[in-house]
Amino acid sequence: TARNTKIIALTPEYPGATLHPDGTANSGTHTSDFDTTNKQNYYSWTTSQSSNQDYDIYVRIPVPKDYEALVSSPQICFWVYSSDTTNGTITTTFYDTAGTAQTATAVTPTSASTWQKKCSTNIGGTINATATDTTSNNYVTVLIHMQSPASGDVRIGEFSFDYLSIF
């Protein structure tokens, strides 16, 4: 029971990330950059269209070799920014190693044009006991759905979640 709490933290450009259009309304520009004022790496989704546009980022994360369990109140936290908090939204979904989606959660900042850390407790499901199990999927996946407001942008920076190690 004396397991260590460890953090998985990913900074853009996330290893294992794939950009993916989800159907229609995907007209815009997806870039990565660095905010020198706030010292923040980020992905930006922006559009000059007269309507909201969206795009997805999928991030596959290998289960660490020392993974034992999620912490008792697991959460995943994101650094987010939006030029318009009504129409510029960010929603995330955590997929466990069985591929089961946990509840999608809005992590849009509550103040426009400012970086905020937003956390979600919708993380859980089945995660393989160890990453050395070769008979099953040894990845969790995070879906980040970014909707840019008309003539605006949304940004996503670092994200992290905690787990308990076997030693």
Side-chain angles (χ1 to χ4, degrees):
T1 61
R3 299 172 291 190
N4 293 313
T5 300
K6 294 193 172 181
I7 299 172
I8 293 175
L10 297 174
T11 302
E13 298 184 359
Y14 311 128
T18 303
L19 306 179
H20 179 75
D22 63 352
T24 61
N26 302 127
S27 180
T29 304
H30 217 298
T31 60
S32 60
D33 205 348
F34 183 73
D35 179 334
T36 58
T37 302
N38 295 291
K39 310 296 186 247
Q40 184 72 256
N41 286 15
Y42 64 89
Y43 286 108
S44 174
W45 173 241
T46 185
T47 186
S48 59
Q49 298 294 310
S50 60
S51 62
N52 300 338
Q53 302 291 308
D54 60 77
Y55 220 82
D56 296 341
I57 302 171
Y58 282 90
V59 185
R60 287 185 45 127
I61 304 164
V63 176
K65 292 191 184 305
D66 66 348
Y67 175 85
E68 176 72 16
L70 288 172
V71 295
S72 61
S73 297
Q75 64 179 358
I76 188 167
C77 297
F78 298 85
W79 282 94
V80 293
Y81 172 104
S82 180
S83 61
D84 174 346
T85 59
T86 301
N87 296 302
T89 60
I90 302 170
T91 305
T92 63
T93 306
F94 183 86
Y95 291 84
D96 63 20
T97 54
T100 304
Q102 305 305 306
T103 305
T105 303
V107 292
T108 304
T110 52
S111 298
S113 301
T114 184
W115 282 102
Q116 291 181 328
K117 185 177 183 180
K118 294 292 184 173
C119 297
S120 165
T121 57
N122 290 328
I123 179 175
T126 305
I127 297 180
N128 293 332
T130 66
T132 57
D133 177 3
T134 58
T135 63
S136 56
N137 186 354
N138 299 316
Y139 290 86
V140 294
T141 303
V142 177
L143 164 60
I144 303 166
H145 179 79
M146 301 174 73
Q147 176 181 282
S148 179
S151 300
D153 76 319
V154 290
R155 301 175 189 172
I156 186 104
E158 178 180 313
F159 73 89
S160 62
F161 62 94
D162 300 339
Y163 71 95
L164 298 173
S165 69
I166 57 176
F167 47 83

